[in-house]
Amino acid sequence: MLSEGRKKNRVTLLDVARHAGVSRATASLVIRKSPLVSTETRAKVEMAMQDLGYVYNMGAARLRADRSLTIGVVIPNLINPFFTELLAGIETVIDAAGMVVILVNSGDVLARQETLLTRMREHGVDGVILCPAAGTDMSLVERMAEWDLPLVQVLRRVSDECDYAGVDYGFGMHQAVDHLTELGHRDIAFAVHGPVHSAYQERVDAFRDAMELRGLDPGNIIRVPNQLAAIAQSAHLFTAGPGRSSSVVCFNDVVALGLSAGLYDLGVEIGRDFSLVGFDDVADAEALRPRLTSVATFPVAIGEGAATLLVDRLAQPDLAPRKLVKAPQLHIRQSSARWRGTNGGLSKNAG
Amino acid sequence: MLSEGRKKNRVTLLDVARHAGVSRATASLVIRKSPLVSTETRAKVEMAMQDLGYVYNMGAARLRADRSLTIGVVIPNLINPFFTELLAGIETVIDAAGMVVILVNSGDVLARQETLLTRMREHGVDGVILCPAAGTDMSLVERMAEWDLPLVQVLRRVSDECDYAGVDYGFGMHQAVDHLTELGHRDIAFAVHGPVHSAYQERVDAFRDAMELRGLDPGNIIRVPNQLAAIAQSAHLFTAGPGRSSSVVCFNDVVALGLSAGLYDLGVEIGRDFSLVGFDDVADAEALRPRLTSVATFPVAIGEGAATLLVDRLAQPDLAPRKLVKAPQLHIRQSSARWRGTNGGLSKNAG
DNA sequence: GCGACGCTTTAGATCGATCTAATTAGGTTG
DNA sequence: CAACCTAATTAGATCGATCTAAAGCGTCGC
């Protein structure tokens, strides 16, 4: 019924051509803005399109021309605000290029990612922006190359033979650690969570590096749960026991938000008794009080960068692989403060 | 080069059929899991598909069968966490139905929404989930019907002749106001922002209604800016001057997050000197301290509902229009507290 | 032995655009 | 006036699947 209806009143290029008194081929040229048609013919055809309410049929065009003006975006997580901002950046650029985003969520599960990439191929996307699920290996990139499916890796990198847009986490981490040490902190913890991937490893390595460079012990790396509420409940890991410290660098702002809440619950005054440095500086971080010191990683810009890489590659498939590594920037606010001595801070308020 | 490459090594159904020693038609039946083929033929064809690395070509199928297994989602804003959760819900259901989401962002701009809907039509989506931009009128729904493009309205409603999934904002608002009045508050403000649309109007009307029902003055409706940081800076509107009140209901959690920060900056202790009720209860609200009392509107569930409505309609186009109006639920936490008298709260700490 | 019937398979048309190669019209040139 | 060129247009094949209508084949009943 539906398809009958659709078929019936669908206006095709042939209808337009007839109405304008030209051939299908000419009408097609007009649509594609070819310079080969005369101005008057063009006008006639455009008028006919108006009159009949013609709608271009990508599906048909794609079949013949083998391009769909569609790109696939595979993201491991839709709820994390970081990815949302990333997505917003991607969408802006892709839209401006006259293309459209097919969005899927891998949930950071390899098997699912595999399924979804097949689905993308079936849908004939012109290219893919992928934030690889943890555990993805290089062979994926090779396979995509065999399939002639242009790929941009974003945030996480599994191969150098392929475009990549991401963040210089090492640099960001050094800024964070330097900042805390300059404030006099020596017991600095690193609160991590989530699946292990290149961007994870990069941050951990850089933390070790930065700490050792300052002659500090980088051993205090603590895993927290993934859910916001559960993170809050593990704040005690940092204020007492073997993980006790005077400050924490957070893997991302989700961790920072959680710990901020958890520390509040413990009666610890952030920015006085304890210092907290976030990572990403997402929009929501602005609502935190005391204001969160955070390493801004500019997710929107990264998204725009990734999309631009892809658009460029579609235009010139033979380009050498490029990297777009954005330098993060530490935003110092209220949640990090000068170290107040062994007896100054925590002991007073904790518990 | 690219397209050459793609063309060259693309395996078609015809290749599969030949390799399996059957006809194109039979191979097609196998793919579509038709019960008409014998088990051995099916096995042969499936084997051939394996051997050759066949990938289904939706584009071709769509052209003939006039369905794309693709749906369009038009959202006014990607950064607001509410929409992100909504999107996550939609994605889950659509994915489970074997379809794929084409995501676009209208920015709440009518003209853009128009462009995007055309683009959706060109891409041949099977249906659209739309959160109509402010100012959209009923005629849009009629036009979509003419185009035979199934539509589900989500969150905002412009027509009753069309499926709709949303929230019973009125009920939520009554819960919020009732809660505050039961705590003894009489000066209750409503902090609004953003574009004016049905869901906006619904909340405003319900606020008036609820206040009048309790014999209170519903005149204190105050607009705040859209950006989080700017919202924080307008917190003073509620603590002093003509808008001064003892409690605020927030249009959504973005406003609540902003005001929470702003009140903190003013030295007002939320949950003691001043009460705050949010709306939506998005995930990030969990990170707020004191914990935010908020009217949960279950965006993920709404998204799932909207997608389900659409999937059902695709299966049965002649269904009467349905409404899925979810009842929100007040979650009482720390940010709302008993009224402490005219001289109790604000005067002590404000300024 | 013949038609009927169920089960399986298939040839060929078809969807709506693009692309190739050829055609037409009109002007220029030797 | 023929040869040639340029600009504009077009017929017809093509992309890779689906769908229709019909055919092949084995069995059954009469």
Side-chain angles (χ1 to χ4, degrees):
Chain A
M1 174 104 192
L2 168 96
S3 60
E4 252 185 37
R6 275 217 227 172
K7 265 178 206 160
K8 255 192 179 140
N9 45 22
R10 164 165 283 144
V11 178
T12 79
L13 203 47
L14 184 56
D15 299 326
V16 171
R18 273 203 274 257
H19 192 266
V22 300
S23 75
R24 205 161 67 262
T26 307
S28 176
L29 289 175
V30 171
I31 282 183
R32 286 177 284 153
K33 306 198 190 310
S34 155
L36 292 177
V37 291
S38 72
T39 7
E40 44 184 340
T41 316
R42 158 160 293 125
K44 268 195 304 186
V45 173
E46 273 164 356
M47 181 65 86
M49 286 172 43
Q50 281 287 332
D51 288 358
L52 301 178
Y54 171 73
V55 183
Y56 185 66
N57 183 335
M58 287 248 133
R62 133 183 342 182
L63 179 56
R64 184 67 234 253
D66 204 22
R67 73 166 202 310
S68 64
L69 296 186
T70 279
I71 71 132
V73 174
V74 185
I75 274 184
N77 180 348
L78 267 174
I79 302 293
N80 184 330
F82 181 87
F83 287 110
T84 310
E85 298 192 23
L86 180 82
L87 182 58
I90 293 174
E91 205 269 342
T92 309
V93 171
I94 293 300
D95 180 88
M99 303 198 285
V100 121
V101 167
I102 292 187
L103 173 71
V104 292
N105 184 348
S106 73
D108 239 323
V109 175
L110 259 183
R112 230 184 117 43
Q113 172 173 282
E114 208 64 25
T115 311
L116 292 174
L117 285 175
T118 303
R119 197 171 284 184
M120 296 288 104
R121 287 218 285 161
E122 294 179 347
H123 277 276
V125 296
D126 290 337
V128 170
I129 295 177
L130 170 75
C131 179
T136 306
D137 66 31
M138 289 193 50
S139 71
L140 177 69
V141 171
E142 291 161 15
R143 271 156 53 222
M144 302 264 301
E146 275 173 33
W147 300 337
D148 278 311
L149 189 52
L151 171 70
V152 172
Q153 309 168 88
V154 70
L155 294 173
R156 305 173 185 173
R157 184 175 13 191
V158 299
S159 162
D160 287 333
E161 305 298 308
C162 173
D163 289 334
Y164 167 74
V167 178
D168 187 347
Y169 287 114
F171 179 59
M173 184 56 77
H174 277 271
Q175 288 181 81
V177 170
D178 287 358
H179 171 59
L180 287 173
T181 55
E182 277 160 18
L183 288 173
H185 293 275
R186 301 188 54 81
D187 294 326
I188 304 175
F190 184 26
V192 301
H193 80 164
V196 177
H197 42 68
S198 71
Y200 179 99
Q201 207 52 55
E202 206 176 322
R203 268 172 275 193
V204 169
D205 292 348
F207 177 73
R208 292 225 169 84
D209 220 58
M211 290 292 279
E212 279 165 3
L213 208 69
R214 295 274 177 167
L216 301 177
D217 172 22
N220 205 4
I221 300 180
I222 301 181
R223 272 197 85 83
V224 299
N226 294 324
Q227 297 301 312
L228 210 40
I231 296 171
Q233 280 161 23
S234 50
H236 64 91
L237 296 175
F238 301 87
T239 59
R244 179 185 164 129
S245 48
S246 68
S247 57
V248 181
V249 177
C250 299
F251 182 77
N252 59 27
D253 279 354
V254 173
V255 172
L257 262 64
L259 287 185
S260 164
L263 290 168
Y264 174 96
D265 294 343
L266 293 174
V268 175
E269 193 172 320
I270 295 168
R272 205 192 61 181
D273 306 333
F274 198 91
S275 288
L276 201 61
V277 176
F279 227 104
D280 286 347
D281 202 37
V282 296
D284 304 25
E286 290 190 64
L288 213 57
R289 293 297 184 270
R291 292 178 164 84
L292 182 67
T293 294
S294 188
V295 180
T297 54
F298 310 104
V300 176
I302 305 278
E304 290 168 351
T308 306
L309 282 179
L310 185 54
V311 170
D312 289 352
R313 176 153 305 279
L314 293 177
Q316 303 174 56
D318 299 320
L319 241 44
R322 293 188 294 169
K323 287 191 218 331
L324 224 62
V325 179
K326 191 153 178 70
Q329 191 178 320
L330 178 69
H331 287 169
I332 299 174
R333 302 205 186 87
Q334 303 164 330
S335 71
S336 55
R338 181 149 291 282
W339 183 61
R340 316 185 95 220
T342 326
N343 301 320
L346 278 181
S347 47
K348 202 179 89 197
N349 285 337
Chain B
M1 174 107 190
L2 169 97
S3 61
E4 251 185 38
R6 277 217 227 169
K7 265 179 206 160
K8 253 190 180 142
N9 46 21
R10 164 165 284 144
V11 179
T12 79
L13 201 47
L14 184 57
D15 299 325
V16 171
R18 274 204 274 255
H19 191 267
V22 299
S23 76
R24 206 162 67 261
T26 306
S28 176
L29 288 176
V30 171
I31 282 183
R32 285 176 284 152
K33 306 201 190 309
S34 157
L36 292 177
V37 291
S38 71
T39 6
E40 44 183 340
T41 314
R42 158 160 291 125
K44 268 194 305 185
V45 173
E46 273 165 354
M47 182 65 86
M49 286 170 42
Q50 281 286 331
D51 289 356
L52 301 179
Y54 172 73
V55 182
Y56 186 66
N57 184 334
M58 287 249 135
R62 136 184 338 183
L63 178 57
R64 182 69 234 254
D66 205 22
R67 73 167 201 310
S68 64
L69 297 185
T70 279
I71 72 131
V73 174
V74 186
I75 275 185
N77 180 348
L78 267 174
I79 303 293
N80 185 330
F82 181 87
F83 287 110
T84 309
E85 298 192 23
L86 180 83
L87 182 58
I90 293 174
E91 204 270 341
T92 309
V93 171
I94 292 301
D95 180 89
M99 301 198 286
V100 120
V101 167
I102 292 187
L103 172 72
V104 292
N105 183 347
S106 74
D108 239 323
V109 175
L110 259 183
R112 232 187 114 43
Q113 172 174 281
E114 207 65 25
T115 310
L116 292 174
L117 286 174
T118 303
R119 197 171 286 186
M120 297 287 104
R121 286 218 284 160
E122 293 179 347
H123 277 277
V125 296
D126 291 337
V128 170
I129 296 177
L130 171 74
C131 179
T136 306
D137 67 32
M138 291 194 47
S139 72
L140 178 70
V141 171
E142 292 161 15
R143 270 156 54 221
M144 302 264 301
E146 276 174 33
W147 300 336
D148 278 309
L149 189 52
L151 171 70
V152 172
Q153 310 168 87
V154 70
L155 296 173
R156 306 174 185 172
R157 184 172 15 190
V158 299
S159 163
D160 287 333
E161 305 298 309
C162 175
D163 289 334
Y164 167 75
V167 178
D168 187 346
Y169 287 113
F171 179 59
M173 184 55 78
H174 277 270
Q175 288 181 81
V177 171
D178 286 0
H179 171 58
L180 287 172
T181 54
E182 277 160 18
L183 288 173
H185 293 274
R186 301 187 55 81
D187 293 326
I188 305 175
F190 184 26
V192 301
H193 79 164
V196 177
H197 44 67
S198 73
Y200 179 99
Q201 206 54 53
E202 206 175 322
R203 268 172 274 192
V204 169
D205 292 349
F207 176 74
R208 291 226 170 84
D209 220 58
M211 290 292 278
E212 277 165 5
L213 208 69
R214 295 274 175 167
L216 301 176
D217 172 22
N220 205 5
I221 300 180
I222 301 182
R223 272 197 86 82
V224 299
N226 294 324
Q227 297 301 312
L228 209 42
I231 296 172
Q233 280 161 23
S234 50
H236 63 91
L237 296 175
F238 301 87
T239 58
R244 179 183 166 131
S245 49
S246 69
S247 58
V248 181
V249 177
C250 299
F251 183 76
N252 59 27
D253 278 354
V254 173
V255 172
L257 263 64
L259 286 185
S260 163
L263 290 168
Y264 174 95
D265 294 342
L266 293 174
V268 176
E269 194 172 321
I270 296 169
R272 205 192 60 181
D273 306 333
F274 198 91
S275 288
L276 201 62
V277 176
F279 227 104
D280 286 347
D281 202 36
V282 296
D284 303 24
E286 289 189 65
L288 214 57
R289 292 296 184 272
R291 291 179 165 83
L292 183 67
T293 294
S294 188
V295 180
T297 52
F298 309 105
V300 176
I302 305 278
E304 290 167 352
T308 306
L309 283 179
L310 185 53
V311 170
D312 289 352
R313 175 152 306 277
L314 293 177
Q316 302 174 55
D318 299 320
L319 241 43
R322 294 188 294 169
K323 287 191 220 326
L324 224 63
V325 180
K326 191 152 179 69
Q329 191 177 320
L330 179 68
H331 287 168
I332 299 174
R333 302 205 186 86
Q334 302 165 330
S335 71
S336 55
R338 182 149 291 282
W339 183 62
R340 317 183 94 217
T342 325
N343 301 321
L346 277 182
S347 47
K348 202 179 87 195
N349 284 337

